[in-house]
Amino acid sequence: MKELIEKFCNDKRKNGLLIIDMPTGLGKTYSVAKFIAENYNRVDGKIFFVTQLKKNLPEDDLRKCFSEIGKESELDRLMLRVENNVDNLCFHFEEVKDDLFRYIHDKFFLQKIEREIKIINHKESFNEDEWLLVQQAKDDLNDVSEKKLREMVSAYLSYDKMKNIE
């Protein structure tokens, strides 16, 4: 795996996009993380690791590989993780929940979002038959609830700003 990655990355004729389509468990993610840690300072440009599944983001592997060469602080300085709005909402909801319930008056809607987030955040406890619930919660947050909540927060902030101007 290491040779494949090195050969590709050192070939100037390549466009920079490497797709490794191999079975799970062969060390693709760790090998890429190790290559990045050992070569990040020799790259002319940026390194992007793109994945549709957050669980495939090799942050732990990157941290381990950078730590092994004594450069863990470099990883914190260089890495930028871009999450989608739903992931952000799921991750930070508990931090802002009390304020949302205080300022957004649609309590039923906020309770619905809270239930959806609990389902998503505890998906490991669901069996295969219950995974449909997780997918429905994700789809609803993605397609409707997150956008509606953003609109409600924006409306509140606009109203509050106007109220304070008067």
Side-chain angles (χ1 to χ4, degrees):
M1 183 67 59
K2 180 180 178 183
E3 292 82 24
L4 168 75
I5 295 168
E6 286 175 352
K7 182 178 177 185
F8 178 86
C9 291
N10 292 325
D11 186 344
K12 299 295 182 195
R13 296 172 296 164
K14 299 291 184 186
N15 67 1
L17 179 62
L18 174 61
I19 299 174
I20 305 173
D21 186 20
M22 297 172 72
T24 301
L26 292 179
K28 298 179 299 286
T29 302
Y30 184 78
S31 296
V32 169
K34 190 163 180 66
F35 180 83
I36 291 170
E38 293 172 351
N39 295 281
Y40 75 94
N41 56 349
R42 296 189 319 205
V43 172
D44 184 26
K46 306 251 184 253
I47 299 171
F48 292 89
F49 189 100
V50 181
T51 178
Q52 289 182 315
L53 300 174
K54 189 158 86 172
K55 69 177 185 157
N56 290 344
L57 185 68
E59 185 172 348
D60 292 339
D61 290 333
L62 280 166
R63 195 158 299 287
K64 180 180 177 191
C65 293
F66 271 76
S67 183
E68 287 172 357
I69 61 172
K71 300 283 187 176
E72 189 169 354
S73 62
E74 281 292 286
L75 178 62
D76 293 329
R77 185 179 69 78
L78 297 171
M79 186 167 72
L80 170 66
R81 181 193 305 162
V82 179
E83 295 182 7
N84 67 35
N85 289 344
V86 171
D87 286 343
N88 244 332
L89 180 60
C90 289
F91 187 74
H92 295 288
F93 185 79
E94 285 300 315
E95 297 170 27
V96 297
K97 180 173 91 172
D98 292 340
D99 290 330
L100 287 172
F101 275 95
R102 186 176 312 115
Y103 299 115
I104 305 296
H105 299 293
D106 190 340
K107 306 298 184 220
F108 177 77
F109 175 69
L110 292 173
Q111 289 168 345
K112 177 182 173 293
I113 288 178
E114 186 173 25
R115 275 191 310 276
E116 290 169 342
I117 290 171
K118 282 181 182 175
I119 289 169
I120 292 168
N121 287 343
H122 294 94
K123 61 184 173 262
E124 292 80 21
S125 63
F126 288 95
N127 65 39
E128 281 186 42
D129 295 331
E130 297 168 320
W131 264 94
L132 182 58
L133 291 172
V134 176
Q135 194 56 52
Q136 286 174 331
K138 283 182 179 179
D139 288 347
D140 191 54
L141 270 178
N142 222 0
D143 298 341
V144 179
S145 300
E146 184 278 330
K147 182 180 178 191
K148 182 177 176 183
L149 179 62
R150 212 171 348 110
E151 290 169 354
M152 293 171 111
V153 169
S154 294
Y156 171 78
L157 292 173
S158 295
Y159 170 77
D160 193 51
K161 181 178 178 182
M162 294 303 292
K163 189 172 77 175
N164 287 331
I165 291 175
E166 296 171 352

